[in-house]
Amino acid sequence: MKVRKRYVYLTLIVLIVLFYAYRSMDEGHKIFPVLSAESIKLEGFEDGEGSPYYYEVLKGYASEGIGDYQGKQVSINPLHFAASGDQAKHSVANGSTAGAESLAWDNGQGWIEWNVDVPADGLYQIELEYEPLQENSTSSIFYGLQIDGQYPFAEAKSIELVKYWKDQTRPYAKDAIGNEIRSAQIVIKGWETERLRNYAISSEPLRFSLKKGQHTLRFQALNEPMKWGAIRLVAPEVLPSYDQKTAEAQTAGGNASNWFSVMEAENYSSKSHPSVQVGSVNEPHVSPDPKGRVVYNAIDGNRWQKAGQWAEWTVDIPETGWYELDVKYTQRFQGKSNIYRTIQIDGETPFKEMLHYAFPYNGKLTVYPIQDKEGKPYRFYLEKGKHNIRFVADASLLDPAILSLRSAISEMFELEQMIRKVTGDYGASGGDANRTWDLASYIPDLESRLTGVRDQLRTVETYMNGLNQNTNDATNSINIGIEVLNDLVADIDKIPQKMGKVTDLQTRLGTWLDSFSQQGMTMDYLVVKAPEAKPELKESNWATKIPYTAVNFLRTFQLKYDTRSEKNGDTLQIWVARGRDYADLLQEMVNQYFTPQTGINVNINLMPDPNALLLSNAGDDQPDVALGVPMDMPMDYAIRKASTDLSQFPDFKEIFSRFNPGAMRSFTFNQGVYALPETQSYYLMYYRKSILKSLGVEVPQTWDDVRKLLPSLQENAMTFYYPSKDYAPFFLQNGAQLYSKDGLKPGFDTEEAYKAFTMWTDLFGKYDLPRDVPSFFNHFKRGDMPIGVADFNTYIQLLVSAPEIRGDWGVAAMPGIEQPDGEVARWAPNNMQAGMILEKSNKKDEAWTFLKWWTSKEVQLEYGRNIESFNGPEYRWNTANMQSLAEMPWPSADISAMEEQNRWTLNIPSLPGGYYLAREMDFAWNRTVVQKVPPKESLDKSFTDLEREMVRKQQNLNLDGSYDLSMPVIDKPYDWRTVQP
């Protein structure tokens, strides 16, 4: 019997292996039809503000017969601008050459415009000379461009001008146990000349259609200052094909027949973004071999995947002649899909085939020659001397597919709203199964529009499979969407019972929008060689992986992995109540910057639960610094004399100025300050642009506006969202104090407080706002709550998990109360995480030095950009340092809303017994809204109960008259953009 079982199992294994082998062979021989991008139709699809996309604009140029301009360049002196906005601050500065002058746009705000005489009709490219001005900024520079008062296409609203970066230290430094430490990144200073580009939509510089005559170019600053040299309108370069290029150079001389040069990918000479980072790869024949340690021996594909990111290497060619390129790379981040790089030599693309050159999927580091479709290596003619080879991540071939999916999602959302208006069903589940419908009588073109979406998805699927000559998870998901649409079209009168499928289809398609544009590729090295050269370039296989893995395993018994064992008692111990990704990046930056600058060794440890601090403090095993703690914890520790008063340090006032004074009230106790904020979360108002536009309503500014908006929403089965139990904004905006001036008892027994409480409860009792909403995010996407107030986490959710409505939502400051002078008061508290020094620490000065470094503008900027570039936008670091917040790469419309809301930050103090406040307000709300108790009576009962608890807590903690619990009065908004750190 046992023998029979063994044979059965063996047979099953053999069959499984044969099945996968057959499927692999079958897939390998399948040929997918190739569609051109022009087959994807997007007529009329625009962004949320009515601007067409570049893809459609470019097709329009072609259909109208508008050709490239072919004349001489037109140069504009930047100092001869026609007008500038009030916010723009500018001056005359040194130019790119000796004796020349340039325009320094000193503050990176507002707009400046230039007039230009265009010599002929045609398509022009725009070239800029520029030099970054912002010191210690890791961001690229962004400007919007309007021509004659309009954006020529949607993507012109944000055009990126990159800085040139390099590693500060080569070779990389090592830590105490021999692991390499990533180098700090520094800007290569100087002037750059670039044509306006966007590799997410075009491999070539952007083209702009201009007619003969005078035009106005207006640049809108979006983030930071820059020096402007010449602005030029230039003729687009016409690239030759490879055959044309080689024919032109037939008379080229020979070269060193056996010469080759291996350029390690990690040894780039420059790059476009500091987030393009090296990584450590462990596998046989990787160069160099890490030998069990962290050795940065490749460019990490996870950190080199966004369109427009590039790295450049310098090679010294021994003789003029023809050369070939090999790349050792792996790319398995996108399934069985190609990724693309535009290859440039000395700043120019040598021939058409090097635009969006495809690198196929592979599962390991593989040596791959740059070759044509027949496998014949391309040859590059290079003069003797040094040359720069640049690889640029390029997603332009995928732009038509991405836009088509967004168009399909937009169409499905519109149809869903129309169907729901007919049926009156705005729920997530299916409608009444026993009711019959004749939807065609209400929506005559419903079937044809659904069929159009289905055909659109088929085109995208065919286009993507043709590009990759393979299927992948994305196209399989699109195929499922096609089947869903087939089911809906089969009987449109049954759609009301299948509305869940309609919503799920939008989510399914939206899931792949971001992943389409990711172009991750891990590179080990680049080889430049003579055609006859045969360098011994090795790859891993199973025969080499087994002994390699065994050797690495044996190394683990010898090598040390704990850096703490290498450090003495002077090491600063820091516990971080965040995930490992955050802690690892902080340790990396400490090793790169803080320790070399200060000589203070630091050890970062994870703290999964902030409450572990209580036990560690009791056991006398506490850290020196705790990061990421909730904002009420520092006050709890201060009451018990377990945290350090930071205001005792001599430079505290300077450091205090980095933060919003209204927010710092959370860390104040007995006139001391016991923590510095790290991150913050604040309220914003979120709205769906298309829905508000269809209703003909504006974004409300005050609570009176919200009440006027409600009838328009509710008669369309929609509503406004506000978190029902959040009382603070109403009290603060009405000028009501929640505590007495001395901080010893409640303060909401005033007329202002009764008015605020009534305003809050009336929204739910009188105006019927939803009282319990499990997920505003889902309702917002579905469209039945197209506007509402929510915290910053909702912003991240929409950014990451709602690509199907990208461009169709915006943010504004939350509603407020109009003041006699016309200004709208939007007071609200911010929720924060903070860092504090433990009182038992014997390294308080070193800990304070660390906190100053950690909360500084430059460190917060770099940390925020790195954590997001390494891990994605869901890791957006919403720093509490106000100057850093201003320079983060936010969309301009969003940062305006954030700026306005953060002017009105006013946190509620953390006082002994104050934990009862939220509970008593909750009880009061329930009594008034649910039980219909009069507002004043309900609020008075909560006042009495909170007062009793505060007195009890003060007695319990022995807080006598020597304690001063009063708080600074803040009655004016904080214009933090004008405050210098």
Side-chain angles (χ1 to χ4, degrees):
M1 191 68 179
K2 289 182 179 180
V3 173
R4 185 180 301 171
K5 271 188 177 181
R6 191 178 298 124
Y7 280 118
V8 169
Y9 292 149
L10 184 61
T11 303
L12 285 173
I13 292 171
V14 171
L15 289 173
I16 291 171
V17 170
L18 289 174
F19 169 76
Y20 281 104
Y22 172 78
R23 192 175 73 168
S24 176
M25 291 171 60
D26 182 60
E27 288 181 354
H29 287 88
K30 189 170 183 180
I31 303 297
F32 291 88
V34 177
L35 289 183
S36 68
E38 286 71 23
S39 61
I40 297 178
K41 309 297 182 185
L42 295 171
E43 287 84 354
F45 182 56
E46 300 172 334
D47 72 355
E49 297 173 341
S51 299
Y53 290 98
Y54 183 71
Y55 171 75
E56 277 298 295
V57 170
L58 208 59
K59 286 174 65 176
Y61 295 161
S63 64
E64 295 171 21
I66 304 174
D68 289 344
Y69 170 69
Q70 297 178 1
K72 295 180 179 180
Q73 69 179 26
V74 180
S75 186
I76 304 170
N77 187 326
L79 295 173
H80 298 166
F81 56 87
S84 66
D86 293 337
Q87 289 183 307
K89 307 300 180 186
H90 43 77
S91 59
V92 178
N94 294 330
S96 58
T97 58
E101 292 182 331
S102 67
L103 177 73
W105 196 333
D106 295 310
N107 63 343
Q109 297 181 38
W111 55 266
I112 300 178
E113 63 184 25
W114 291 266
N115 292 332
V116 57
D117 287 318
V118 174
D121 295 357
L123 299 180
Y124 292 76
Q125 292 175 347
I126 298 177
E127 183 176 87
L128 298 183
E129 289 182 358
Y130 66 95
E131 182 179 30
L133 279 176
Q134 184 72 53
E135 293 284 342
N136 300 316
S137 167
T138 56
S139 173
S140 295
I141 307 170
F142 292 89
Y143 283 89
L145 171 61
Q146 291 182 339
I147 298 179
D148 299 328
Q150 291 186 325
Y151 292 106
F153 40 84
E155 295 87 350
K157 296 175 183 179
S158 181
I159 296 175
E160 180 181 22
L161 298 172
V162 302
K163 302 171 185 176
Y164 285 46
W165 295 85
K166 67 177 182 179
D167 290 341
Q168 185 178 45
T169 306
R170 290 277 182 81
Y172 297 134
K174 295 183 179 181
D175 63 18
I177 60 175
N179 290 329
E180 287 189 345
I181 301 170
R182 281 194 181 95
S183 169
Q185 309 294 292
I186 58 173
V187 173
I188 302 173
K189 294 184 178 181
W191 285 86
E192 307 296 345
T193 301
E194 294 283 351
R195 298 190 182 191
L196 301 187
R197 297 177 179 269
N198 184 341
Y199 285 95
I201 61 175
S202 175
S203 301
E204 298 183 274
L206 301 174
R207 285 172 162 82
F208 301 85
S209 176
L210 296 171
K211 293 186 177 297
K212 182 178 180 179
Q214 189 174 81
H215 295 271
T216 300
L217 306 182
R218 172 180 290 189
F219 283 90
Q220 176 76 44
L222 300 181
N223 66 333
E224 64 178 63
M226 184 179 85
K227 283 167 68 173
W228 290 64
I231 305 167
R232 304 184 186 97
L233 303 182
V234 297
E237 181 183 3
V238 179
L239 288 178
S241 67
Y242 177 67
D243 290 340
Q244 290 171 328
K245 185 75 173 181
T246 53
E248 292 171 3
Q250 279 183 356
T251 59
N255 54 2
S257 59
N258 295 315
W259 178 89
F260 68 92
S261 177
V262 177
M263 294 172 287
E264 295 290 345
E266 65 275 15
N267 292 334
Y268 44 75
S269 55
S270 62
K271 58 183 180 179
S272 59
H273 299 76
S275 56
V276 176
Q277 280 288 353
V278 292
S280 182
V281 177
N282 272 287
E283 71 172 54
H285 305 304
V286 68
S287 176
D289 189 339
K291 298 181 180 178
R293 288 299 183 194
V294 174
V295 172
Y296 294 116
N297 52 10
I299 289 188
D300 188 347
N302 284 311
R303 303 180 181 188
W304 185 28
Q305 61 180 354
K306 293 183 180 179
Q309 291 181 334
W310 54 258
E312 189 170 80
W313 298 266
T314 300
V315 60
D316 195 351
I317 299 298
E319 294 181 20
T320 299
W322 293 100
Y323 294 88
E324 298 174 358
L325 299 180
D326 290 346
V327 180
K328 189 175 184 183
Y329 80 98
T330 181
Q331 69 92 357
R332 47 180 181 250
F333 306 99
Q334 291 289 85
K336 295 182 179 179
S337 302
N338 296 333
I339 62 96
Y340 300 91
R341 293 288 184 269
T342 286
I343 300 174
Q344 298 172 352
I345 298 178
D346 298 329
E348 297 182 353
T349 307
F351 41 86
K352 285 182 180 178
E353 288 80 357
M354 292 299 100
L355 296 172
H356 46 255
Y357 180 81
F359 287 86
Y361 163 85
N362 59 13
K364 64 175 184 177
L365 286 171
T366 305
V367 178
Y368 184 79
I370 305 299
Q371 58 191 353
D372 61 20
K373 294 179 180 179
E374 283 71 43
K376 183 180 179 181
Y378 288 116
R379 294 185 175 183
F380 302 84
Y381 184 72
L382 300 175
E383 300 280 350
K384 180 180 179 180
K386 291 186 177 181
H387 296 270
N388 295 318
I389 301 175
R390 178 182 296 181
F391 279 43
V392 189
D394 190 325
S396 58
L397 286 183
L398 304 171
D399 183 55
I402 293 170
L403 290 176
S404 186
L405 285 182
R406 291 176 63 182
S407 170
I409 292 168
S410 177
E411 177 76 345
M412 288 302 299
F413 175 74
E414 185 176 336
L415 291 175
E416 179 189 5
Q417 294 305 110
M418 294 172 68
I419 294 168
R420 290 190 185 278
K421 284 182 180 179
V422 170
T423 63
D425 175 21
Y426 284 83
S429 58
D432 185 352
N434 297 315
R435 181 160 185 179
T436 58
W437 293 95
D438 182 14
L439 285 183
S441 63
Y442 297 97
I443 313 173
D445 60 350
L446 176 60
E447 183 173 354
S448 63
R449 291 176 69 177
L450 287 173
T451 302
V453 174
R454 180 196 62 194
D455 294 343
Q456 194 173 347
L457 295 185
R458 278 180 177 160
T459 303
V460 171
E461 181 191 21
T462 305
Y463 176 74
M464 294 297 298
N465 288 340
L467 278 181
N468 300 315
Q469 285 303 303
N470 217 324
T471 60
N472 55 37
D473 291 342
T475 54
N476 289 337
S477 186
I478 292 172
N479 188 261
I480 293 172
I482 293 170
E483 295 304 317
V484 169
L485 285 165
N486 281 333
D487 179 53
L488 297 177
V489 171
D491 190 347
I492 62 171
D493 292 331
K494 292 288 181 66
I495 293 178
Q497 285 82 39
K498 302 174 182 177
M499 291 304 293
K501 287 187 175 182
V502 177
T503 303
D504 291 344
L505 175 58
Q506 296 170 57
T507 303
R508 175 181 292 278
L509 298 178
T511 301
W512 297 102
L513 287 180
D514 284 335
S515 64
F516 270 177
S517 61
Q518 293 173 358
Q519 299 294 303
M521 181 174 86
T522 296
M523 184 189 291
D524 186 9
Y525 52 70
L526 173 69
V527 181
V528 181
K529 63 176 186 177
E532 292 79 15
K534 304 295 181 185
E536 295 185 5
L537 306 174
K538 297 182 179 179
E539 303 172 3
S540 66
N541 54 43
W542 286 108
T544 57
K545 279 186 177 180
I546 293 174
Y548 185 86
T549 304
V551 170
N552 273 344
F553 174 70
L554 294 175
R555 285 190 178 116
T556 62
F557 295 99
Q558 285 186 315
L559 300 177
K560 292 181 180 180
Y561 295 94
D562 188 359
T563 57
R564 287 175 294 182
S565 64
E566 300 295 323
K567 294 183 177 179
N568 55 40
D570 293 333
T571 299
L572 198 64
Q573 297 296 328
I574 297 176
W575 291 5
V576 180
R578 295 190 176 93
R580 180 169 295 279
D581 291 324
Y582 293 96
D584 287 348
L585 177 59
L586 178 55
Q587 182 72 72
E588 188 174 296
M589 289 181 62
V590 164
N591 293 342
Q592 284 180 345
Y593 304 108
F594 180 73
T595 299
Q597 291 169 7
T598 65
I600 300 172
N601 288 323
V602 176
N603 188 47
I604 307 292
N605 285 296
L606 288 176
M607 180 173 57
D609 182 2
N611 292 320
L613 272 178
L614 183 64
L615 298 175
S616 68
N617 197 58
D620 203 25
D621 187 30
Q622 73 289 328
D624 300 297
V625 178
L627 300 180
V629 300
M631 69 179 182
D632 57 346
M633 183 176 281
M635 192 280 295
D636 286 341
Y637 276 59
I639 291 173
R640 296 162 177 83
K641 299 181 179 179
S643 58
T644 300
D645 179 6
L646 305 181
S647 63
Q648 66 181 314
F649 293 103
D651 52 354
F652 170 75
K653 288 186 178 179
E654 177 190 347
I655 305 305
F656 183 91
S657 68
R658 296 172 175 174
F659 311 105
N660 195 314
M664 293 299 289
R665 290 172 23 127
S666 293
F667 308 121
T668 302
F669 174 73
N670 195 27
Q671 304 309 303
V673 177
Y674 290 85
L676 296 180
E678 299 176 274
T679 62
Q680 58 184 341
S681 178
Y682 36 78
Y683 278 132
L684 292 170
M685 183 162 58
Y686 301 84
Y687 59 92
R688 293 287 299 272
K689 297 176 183 178
S690 61
I691 295 178
L692 295 194
K693 184 178 179 181
S694 68
L695 296 175
V697 296
E698 299 292 329
V699 177
Q701 296 299 314
T702 67
W703 291 110
D704 285 339
D705 294 340
V706 171
R707 288 187 283 269
K708 292 175 184 176
L709 171 66
L710 285 173
S712 297
L713 293 173
Q714 291 169 344
E715 68 186 12
N716 286 281
M718 302 176 190
T719 190
F720 185 95
Y721 171 76
Y722 181 83
S724 59
K725 299 305 174 70
D726 201 335
Y727 57 89
F730 295 97
F731 285 83
L732 298 175
Q733 291 172 14
N734 278 283
Q737 299 299 318
L738 291 164
Y739 295 109
S740 62
K741 290 183 179 180
D742 59 10
L744 297 176
K745 63 179 182 179
F748 50 85
D749 57 346
T750 63
E751 288 303 316
E752 293 84 1
Y754 297 136
K755 179 183 177 182
F757 184 73
T758 302
M759 180 184 292
W760 173 37
T761 53
D762 276 356
L763 284 176
F764 303 93
K766 183 184 291 187
Y767 295 98
D768 202 29
L769 260 61
R771 302 177 185 181
D772 185 21
V773 180
S775 175
F776 167 62
F777 169 70
N778 287 330
H779 287 281
F780 186 77
K781 285 203 303 179
R782 196 160 61 226
D784 54 310
M785 291 185 189
I787 184 170
V789 174
D791 65 12
F792 182 76
N793 289 330
T794 302
Y795 184 92
I796 299 300
Q797 280 186 295
L798 290 169
L799 202 64
V800 174
S801 303
E804 64 269 30
I805 59 170
R806 184 169 297 149
D808 188 37
W809 62 272
V811 296
M814 73 177 297
I817 296 176
E818 187 171 359
Q819 304 301 295
D821 62 358
E823 188 170 34
V824 178
R826 309 177 194 269
W827 295 109
N830 285 3
N831 188 29
M832 294 179 292
Q833 289 183 312
M836 65 179 183
I837 300 174
L838 278 295
E839 181 62 25
K840 289 184 178 180
S841 170
N842 59 2
K843 294 183 280 292
K844 290 188 177 66
D845 288 337
E846 292 87 345
W848 176 240
T849 300
F850 173 82
L851 275 184
K852 290 190 295 181
W853 172 83
W854 168 233
T855 59
S856 66
K857 171 185 170 182
E858 296 77 18
V859 173
Q860 287 290 293
L861 274 173
E862 180 163 354
Y863 185 86
R865 287 175 181 139
N866 285 346
I867 195 70
E868 182 173 348
S869 65
F870 295 168
N871 301 289
E874 61 267 33
Y875 281 73
R876 176 69 57 91
W877 184 255
N878 198 23
T879 178
N881 182 307
M882 303 309 291
Q883 297 300 319
S884 299
L885 177 69
E887 292 186 20
M888 288 288 190
W890 306 97
S892 58
D894 297 354
I895 190 59
S896 297
M898 295 172 188
E899 176 182 349
E900 172 63 14
Q901 188 58 55
N902 276 286
R903 294 179 65 229
W904 300 95
T905 298
L906 189 61
N907 278 23
I908 299 170
S910 295
L911 295 172
Y915 49 80
Y916 247 52
L917 176 62
R919 190 173 93 164
E920 287 303 329
M921 285 294 177
D922 191 12
F923 289 163
W925 187 92
N926 285 332
R927 285 191 294 264
T928 297
V929 175
V930 180
Q931 301 172 17
K932 307 303 179 185
V933 175
K936 185 176 185 303
E937 178 184 340
S938 180
L939 193 61
D940 284 345
K941 178 172 178 17
S942 289
F943 179 95
T944 302
D945 291 345
L946 176 59
E947 184 178 32
R948 184 183 303 115
E949 177 62 20
M950 290 182 71
V951 170
R952 187 195 70 80
K953 195 66 178 178
Q954 290 160 17
Q955 293 172 348
N956 177 260
L957 295 170
N958 297 317
L959 300 182
D960 54 28
S962 64
Y963 284 84
D964 181 1
L965 302 183
S966 63
M967 288 286 162
V969 176
I970 296 176
D971 54 8
K972 295 186 182 299
Y974 177 62
D975 292 316
W976 52 275
R977 279 279 200 174
T978 63
V979 175
Q980 295 300 318

